[in-house]
Amino acid sequence: VSGVRTVDEVESQLGVRVLAAVPAVSKPANPADLLLEKPTSLYAESLRIARAAILGVRGGGASPQVIAITSALPSEGKTTTSLGLARTMAISGDRTILVDADVRRAMLRNILDTSTNGPGIVEVLHGEVDLDQAIQPSGVENLDQILVQKPYFSSENMFGSGQMQTMLDELSKRYDTIILDLPPLIGLADGR
């Protein structure tokens, strides 16, 4: 079997530090819901470890405000991880916003099982609505979200127009942490 199987293999072969090892969760559980239903689960603890590694436990230095989550391919758990990390940040007291920037797949709204049909990130980046119209409460204290209401396919460079940076600049004034659920890197131009 090829691939990497341990933390040591990841760190030695890729030359990067592992922040946390997130365990697989058996079906039919939605892993991100475990944070709310079973806050002492191994899954919840692994995301708290990731939060501590990202923000630093010593203090002193500036913590990252924008955290982007991606994967190599679809269906590797990046959206679930984005939601779980956003919930972990919010539960820990950080004013957090989760932004679904995977406009072609728009999977976050499916995981959340939301029936909200208001405007989302596509409409904000096109300048059709104000940012406030796209921000929705998530139902978790300290956590808001901007979703993709339906998959959006276009050859335009939505993220390179300057509107994305403008949106992030505004969100950074309102929130402690911004979690971006990005598209997978392989196979889609949007991720790059």
Side-chain angles (χ1 to χ4, degrees):
V1 176
S2 64
V4 292
R5 299 181 113 16
T6 68
V7 169
D8 289 338
E9 288 176 359
V10 170
E11 291 182 340
S12 67
Q13 290 183 28
L14 300 178
V16 294
R17 186 170 63 101
V18 171
L19 298 180
V22 180
V25 175
S26 61
K27 299 281 181 185
N30 177 346
D33 288 343
L34 281 177
L35 293 165
L36 306 175
E37 298 165 3
K38 296 182 181 178
T40 59
S41 68
L42 187 55
Y43 179 81
E45 186 62 27
S46 70
L47 288 173
R48 285 191 292 274
I49 290 168
R51 177 186 180 274
I54 292 167
L55 298 182
V57 290
R58 292 184 200 95
S63 297
Q65 188 174 19
V66 179
I67 301 168
I69 308 289
T70 190
S71 62
L73 298 169
S75 301
E76 290 184 329
K78 67 164 186 65
T79 297
T80 300
T81 301
S82 297
L83 176 58
L85 186 58
R87 284 180 174 175
T88 299
M89 297 289 195
I91 290 168
S92 297
D94 299 334
R95 290 170 306 152
T96 306
I97 187 157
L98 174 59
V99 179
D100 188 354
D102 190 353
V103 298
R104 293 186 194 206
R105 292 176 30 97
M107 296 302 294
L108 191 54
R109 66 183 170 81
N110 294 336
I111 291 174
L112 294 170
D113 195 26
T114 181
S115 59
T116 305
N117 290 322
I121 189 171
V122 173
E123 293 80 9
V124 171
L125 295 179
H126 282 150
E128 297 169 6
V129 299
D130 292 331
L131 184 58
D132 289 327
Q133 293 173 279
I135 296 173
Q136 305 168 5
S138 72
V140 174
E141 187 176 350
N142 293 322
L143 179 59
D144 290 334
Q145 58 199 18
I146 299 175
L147 303 177
V148 177
Q149 297 304 329
K150 61 183 179 184
Y152 180 79
F153 301 93
S154 173
S155 61
E156 69 185 295
N157 183 359
M158 286 182 52
F159 301 111
S161 68
Q163 286 295 101
M164 184 70 172
Q165 187 61 53
T166 300
M167 183 184 80
L168 290 174
D169 290 345
E170 182 58 35
L171 291 174
S172 68
K173 296 173 189 173
R174 303 180 189 192
Y175 295 94
D176 301 316
T177 307
I178 302 164
I179 305 286
L180 299 176
D181 178 25
L182 297 178
L185 293 175
I186 297 175
L188 297 176
D190 294 345
R192 297 184 187 277

Coordinates of all heavy atoms in Angstrom, one line a residue, residues 47 50-51 54-55 64-70 78-90 94-102 108 121 142-147 164 167-168 171-172 175-182:
L47 N -9.8 18.6 17.1 CA -10.0 19.9 16.5 C -9.6 21.0 17.5 O -9.1 22.0 17.1 CB -11.4 20.1 16.0 CG -11.7 19.3 14.8 CD1 -13.2 19.4 14.4 CD2 -10.9 19.8 13.6
A50 N -5.9 21.1 17.1 CA -5.6 21.8 15.8 C -5.8 23.3 16.1 O -4.9 24.1 15.7 CB -6.6 21.4 14.7
R51 N -6.8 23.7 16.8 CA -7.0 25.2 17.1 C -5.8 25.7 17.9 O -5.3 26.7 17.6 CB -8.3 25.4 17.9 CG -8.5 26.8 18.3 CD -9.7 26.9 19.2 NE -9.9 28.3 19.6 CZ -9.3 28.9 20.7 NH1 -8.5 28.2 21.4 NH2 -9.5 30.2 20.9
I54 N -2.8 26.0 15.6 CA -2.9 27.1 14.7 C -2.7 28.5 15.4 O -2.0 29.4 14.9 CB -4.2 27.1 13.9 CG1 -4.3 25.9 13.0 CG2 -4.5 28.4 13.2 CD1 -5.6 25.5 12.5
L55 N -3.4 28.6 16.5 CA -3.4 29.9 17.2 C -2.2 30.1 18.1 O -1.8 31.2 18.5 CB -4.7 30.1 18.0 CG -6.0 30.1 17.2 CD1 -7.1 30.4 18.2 CD2 -5.9 31.2 16.1
P64 N -3.1 33.8 13.3 CA -3.7 34.0 12.0 C -5.2 34.3 12.1 O -5.9 33.7 12.9 CB -3.4 32.7 11.2 CG -3.2 31.7 12.3 CD -2.6 32.5 13.5
Q65 N -5.7 35.3 11.3 CA -7.1 35.6 11.4 C -7.8 34.9 10.3 O -9.0 34.5 10.5 CB -7.3 37.1 11.2 CG -8.7 37.5 11.5 CD -8.8 39.0 11.5 OE1 -8.0 39.8 11.0 NE2 -9.9 39.5 12.0
V66 N -7.2 34.6 9.2 CA -7.9 33.9 8.1 C -7.2 32.5 7.9 O -6.0 32.4 7.8 CB -7.7 34.7 6.7 CG1 -8.3 33.9 5.6 CG2 -8.3 36.1 6.8
I67 N -8.0 31.5 8.0 CA -7.6 30.1 7.9 C -8.3 29.5 6.8 O -9.5 29.4 6.7 CB -7.9 29.3 9.2 CG1 -7.2 30.0 10.4 CG2 -7.4 27.9 9.1 CD1 -7.6 29.5 11.8
A68 N -7.5 29.0 5.8 CA -8.0 28.4 4.6 C -7.8 26.9 4.6 O -6.7 26.5 4.9 CB -7.3 29.0 3.3
I69 N -8.9 26.2 4.4 CA -8.9 24.7 4.4 C -9.1 24.2 3.0 O -10.1 24.6 2.3 CB -10.0 24.2 5.3 CG1 -9.9 24.8 6.7 CG2 -9.9 22.6 5.3 CD1 -8.7 24.4 7.5
T70 N -8.2 23.4 2.5 CA -8.4 22.8 1.2 C -8.0 21.3 1.2 O -7.6 20.8 2.3 CB -7.6 23.6 0.1 OG1 -8.0 23.1 -1.2 CG2 -6.1 23.4 0.3
K78 N -12.5 18.1 3.6 CA -12.2 19.5 3.9 C -13.3 20.4 4.3 O -13.2 21.2 5.2 CB -11.5 20.2 2.7 CG -12.4 20.3 1.5 CD -11.9 21.3 0.5 CE -12.9 21.5 -0.6 NZ -14.1 22.2 -0.1
T79 N -14.5 20.1 3.8 CA -15.7 20.9 4.2 C -16.1 20.5 5.6 O -16.4 21.4 6.4 CB -16.9 20.7 3.2 OG1 -16.4 21.2 1.9 CG2 -18.1 21.4 3.6
T80 N -16.1 19.3 5.9 CA -16.4 18.8 7.3 C -15.4 19.4 8.3 O -15.7 19.8 9.4 CB -16.5 17.3 7.4 OG1 -17.5 16.8 6.5 CG2 -16.8 16.8 8.8
T81 N -14.1 19.4 7.9 CA -13.1 19.9 8.7 C -13.2 21.4 8.9 O -13.1 22.0 10.0 CB -11.7 19.6 8.2 OG1 -11.6 18.2 8.1 CG2 -10.6 20.1 9.0
S82 N -13.6 22.1 7.8 CA -13.8 23.6 7.9 C -14.9 23.9 8.9 O -14.8 24.8 9.7 CB -14.2 24.1 6.5 OG -13.1 24.0 5.6
L83 N -16.0 23.2 8.8 CA -17.2 23.4 9.7 C -16.8 23.0 11.1 O -17.1 23.8 12.0 CB -18.4 22.5 9.2 CG -19.6 22.6 10.1 CD1 -20.1 24.0 10.3 CD2 -20.7 21.7 9.5
G84 N -16.1 21.9 11.3 CA -15.7 21.5 12.6 C -14.7 22.5 13.3 O -14.9 22.9 14.4
L85 N -13.8 23.0 12.5 CA -12.8 24.0 13.0 C -13.5 25.3 13.3 O -13.3 25.9 14.4 CB -11.7 24.2 12.1 CG -10.5 25.1 12.6 CD1 -9.9 24.5 13.9 CD2 -9.5 25.2 11.5
A86 N -14.4 25.7 12.5 CA -15.2 26.9 12.7 C -16.0 26.8 14.0 O -16.1 27.7 14.8 CB -16.1 27.3 11.5
R87 N -16.7 25.7 14.2 CA -17.5 25.5 15.4 C -16.5 25.4 16.6 O -16.9 26.0 17.7 CB -18.3 24.2 15.3 CG -19.5 24.3 14.4 CD -20.3 23.0 14.3 NE -21.5 23.2 13.6 CZ -22.3 22.3 13.3 NH1 -22.1 21.0 13.6 NH2 -23.4 22.6 12.6
T88 N -15.4 24.8 16.5 CA -14.4 24.8 17.6 C -14.0 26.2 18.0 O -13.9 26.5 19.2 CB -13.2 23.9 17.2 OG1 -13.7 22.6 16.9 CG2 -12.2 23.9 18.3
M89 N -13.7 27.0 17.0 CA -13.3 28.4 17.3 C -14.4 29.1 18.0 O -14.1 29.8 19.0 CB -12.9 29.1 16.0 CG -11.7 28.5 15.2 SD -10.2 28.9 16.1 CE -9.0 28.5 14.8
A90 N -15.6 29.0 17.5 CA -16.8 29.7 18.1 C -17.0 29.2 19.5 O -17.3 30.1 20.4 CB -18.0 29.5 17.2
D94 N -14.2 32.6 20.2 CA -13.8 33.5 19.1 C -15.0 33.8 18.2 O -15.8 33.0 17.8 CB -12.8 32.8 18.2 CG -11.5 32.4 18.9 OD1 -11.2 33.0 19.9 OD2 -10.8 31.4 18.5
R95 N -15.2 35.1 17.9 CA -16.2 35.5 16.9 C -15.7 35.0 15.6 O -14.7 35.4 15.1 CB -16.3 37.0 16.9 CG -17.0 37.6 18.1 CD -16.9 39.1 18.1 NE -15.5 39.4 17.9 CZ -15.0 40.6 17.4 NH1 -15.8 41.5 16.9 NH2 -13.7 40.8 17.2
T96 N -16.4 34.1 15.0 CA -16.0 33.3 13.8 C -17.0 33.4 12.7 O -18.2 33.4 12.9 CB -15.7 31.8 14.2 OG1 -14.8 31.8 15.3 CG2 -15.2 31.0 13.1
I97 N -16.5 33.4 11.5 CA -17.3 33.3 10.3 C -16.8 32.2 9.4 O -15.5 32.1 9.2 CB -17.5 34.6 9.5 CG1 -18.6 34.4 8.5 CG2 -16.2 35.2 9.0 CD1 -19.3 35.7 8.0
L98 N -17.6 31.4 8.9 CA -17.3 30.3 8.0 C -17.8 30.7 6.6 O -18.9 31.0 6.4 CB -18.0 29.0 8.4 CG -17.8 27.8 7.5 CD1 -16.4 27.4 7.3 CD2 -18.6 26.6 8.0
V99 N -16.8 30.8 5.6 CA -17.1 31.2 4.3 C -17.0 30.0 3.3 O -15.9 29.5 3.2 CB -16.2 32.4 3.9 CG1 -16.6 32.8 2.4 CG2 -16.4 33.6 4.8
D100 N -18.0 29.7 2.6 CA -18.0 28.6 1.6 C -17.5 29.2 0.4 O -18.2 29.9 -0.3 CB -19.3 28.0 1.4 CG -19.3 26.7 0.5 OD1 -18.2 26.5 0.0 OD2 -20.3 26.1 0.4
A101 N -16.2 29.0 0.0 CA -15.6 29.5 -1.2 C -15.4 28.4 -2.3 O -14.8 28.6 -3.3 CB -14.2 30.1 -0.9
D102 N -16.1 27.3 -2.0 CA -16.1 26.2 -3.0 C -17.3 26.3 -3.8 O -18.3 25.6 -3.6 CB -16.0 24.8 -2.3 CG -15.7 23.7 -3.2 OD1 -15.8 23.9 -4.5 OD2 -15.5 22.5 -2.7
L108 N -21.2 22.8 1.7 CA -21.5 23.2 3.0 C -23.0 23.2 3.3 O -23.4 22.8 4.4 CB -20.8 24.5 3.3 CG -20.7 24.9 4.8 CD1 -20.1 23.8 5.6 CD2 -19.9 26.2 4.9
I121 N -22.0 34.0 -1.2 CA -20.7 34.5 -1.6 C -20.7 34.9 -3.1 O -20.1 35.9 -3.5 CB -19.6 33.6 -1.3 CG1 -18.2 34.3 -1.5 CG2 -19.7 32.3 -2.1 CD1 -17.0 33.5 -1.0
N142 N -21.5 32.7 18.5 CA -20.3 33.2 18.0 C -19.9 32.8 16.6 O -18.8 33.0 16.1 CB -19.1 32.9 18.9 CG -19.2 33.5 20.2 OD1 -19.6 34.7 20.3 ND2 -18.8 32.8 21.3
L143 N -20.8 32.0 15.9 CA -20.5 31.5 14.5 C -21.5 32.0 13.5 O -22.7 31.7 13.6 CB -20.4 30.0 14.5 CG -20.1 29.4 13.2 CD1 -18.8 29.9 12.6 CD2 -20.1 27.9 13.3
D144 N -21.1 32.8 12.5 CA -21.9 33.1 11.4 C -21.3 32.4 10.2 O -20.3 31.8 10.2 CB -21.9 34.6 11.2 CG -22.6 35.4 12.2 OD1 -23.5 34.8 12.8 OD2 -22.3 36.6 12.5
Q145 N -22.1 32.5 9.1 CA -21.7 31.8 7.8 C -22.1 32.6 6.6 O -23.1 33.3 6.6 CB -22.2 30.4 7.8 CG -23.7 30.4 7.9 CD -24.3 29.0 8.3 OE1 -23.6 28.2 8.9 NE2 -25.6 28.8 8.1
I146 N -21.3 32.4 5.5 CA -21.7 32.8 4.2 C -21.6 31.6 3.3 O -20.5 31.0 3.2 CB -20.7 33.9 3.7 CG1 -20.8 35.2 4.6 CG2 -21.1 34.3 2.2 CD1 -19.8 36.3 4.2
L147 N -22.7 31.2 2.7 CA -22.8 30.0 2.0 C -22.9 30.2 0.5 O -23.1 31.4 0.0 CB -24.0 29.2 2.4 CG -24.1 28.9 3.9 CD1 -25.4 28.1 4.2 CD2 -22.9 28.1 4.4
M164 N -12.9 39.7 -3.5 CA -12.6 38.7 -2.4 C -11.8 39.4 -1.3 O -12.1 39.3 -0.1 CB -12.0 37.5 -2.9 CG -11.7 36.4 -1.9 SD -13.3 35.6 -1.4 CE -12.7 34.3 -0.4
M167 N -13.9 41.8 0.6 CA -14.8 41.1 1.5 C -14.0 40.6 2.8 O -14.5 40.8 3.9 CB -15.4 39.9 0.8 CG -16.4 39.1 1.7 SD -17.1 37.6 0.9 CE -15.7 36.5 1.2
L168 N -12.8 40.0 2.6 CA -12.0 39.6 3.7 C -11.6 40.7 4.6 O -11.6 40.6 5.8 CB -10.8 38.8 3.2 CG -11.1 37.4 2.6 CD1 -9.8 36.8 2.0 CD2 -11.7 36.5 3.5
L171 N -14.6 41.5 6.7 CA -14.9 40.5 7.7 C -13.9 40.5 8.8 O -14.2 40.3 9.9 CB -14.9 39.1 7.0 CG -16.1 38.8 6.1 CD1 -15.9 37.5 5.4 CD2 -17.4 38.9 6.8
S172 N -12.6 40.9 8.5 CA -11.6 40.9 9.5 C -11.8 42.0 10.5 O -11.3 41.9 11.6 CB -10.2 41.1 8.8 OG -10.0 42.3 8.3
Y175 N -14.8 40.0 12.8 CA -14.6 38.6 13.4 C -13.1 38.4 13.8 O -12.2 39.0 13.2 CB -15.0 37.6 12.3 CG -16.4 37.6 11.9 CD1 -16.9 38.3 10.8 CD2 -17.4 37.0 12.7 CE1 -18.2 38.4 10.5 CE2 -18.7 37.0 12.4 CZ -19.1 37.7 11.3 OH -20.5 37.8 11.0
D176 N -13.0 37.6 14.8 CA -11.7 37.2 15.3 C -11.0 36.2 14.3 O -9.8 36.2 14.0 CB -11.7 36.5 16.6 CG -12.3 37.4 17.7 OD1 -12.0 38.6 17.7 OD2 -13.2 36.9 18.5
T177 N -11.9 35.3 13.7 CA -11.4 34.2 12.9 C -12.3 34.1 11.7 O -13.5 34.1 11.8 CB -11.3 32.9 13.6 OG1 -10.6 33.0 14.8 CG2 -10.7 31.8 12.8
I178 N -11.7 33.9 10.5 CA -12.4 33.7 9.2 C -11.9 32.3 8.7 O -10.7 32.2 8.5 CB -12.1 34.8 8.2 CG1 -12.5 36.2 8.8 CG2 -12.8 34.5 6.9 CD1 -11.9 37.3 8.0
I179 N -12.8 31.4 8.6 CA -12.5 30.1 8.1 C -13.0 30.0 6.6 O -14.2 30.2 6.4 CB -13.1 28.9 8.9 CG1 -12.8 29.0 10.4 CG2 -12.8 27.6 8.3 CD1 -11.4 28.6 10.7
L180 N -12.1 29.7 5.7 CA -12.5 29.6 4.3 C -12.5 28.1 3.9 O -11.5 27.5 4.0 CB -11.5 30.4 3.4 CG -11.3 31.9 3.6 CD1 -10.2 32.4 2.7 CD2 -12.6 32.6 3.3
D181 N -13.6 27.7 3.4 CA -13.7 26.3 2.8 C -13.4 26.5 1.3 O -14.3 26.9 0.6 CB -15.1 25.7 3.1 CG -15.2 24.3 2.5 OD1 -14.2 23.6 2.3 OD2 -16.4 23.9 2.2
L182 N -12.2 26.2 0.9 CA -11.7 26.4 -0.4 C -12.1 25.2 -1.3 O -12.3 24.1 -0.8 CB -10.2 26.6 -0.5 CG -9.7 27.9 0.2 CD1 -8.2 28.0 0.1 CD2 -10.4 29.1 -0.3

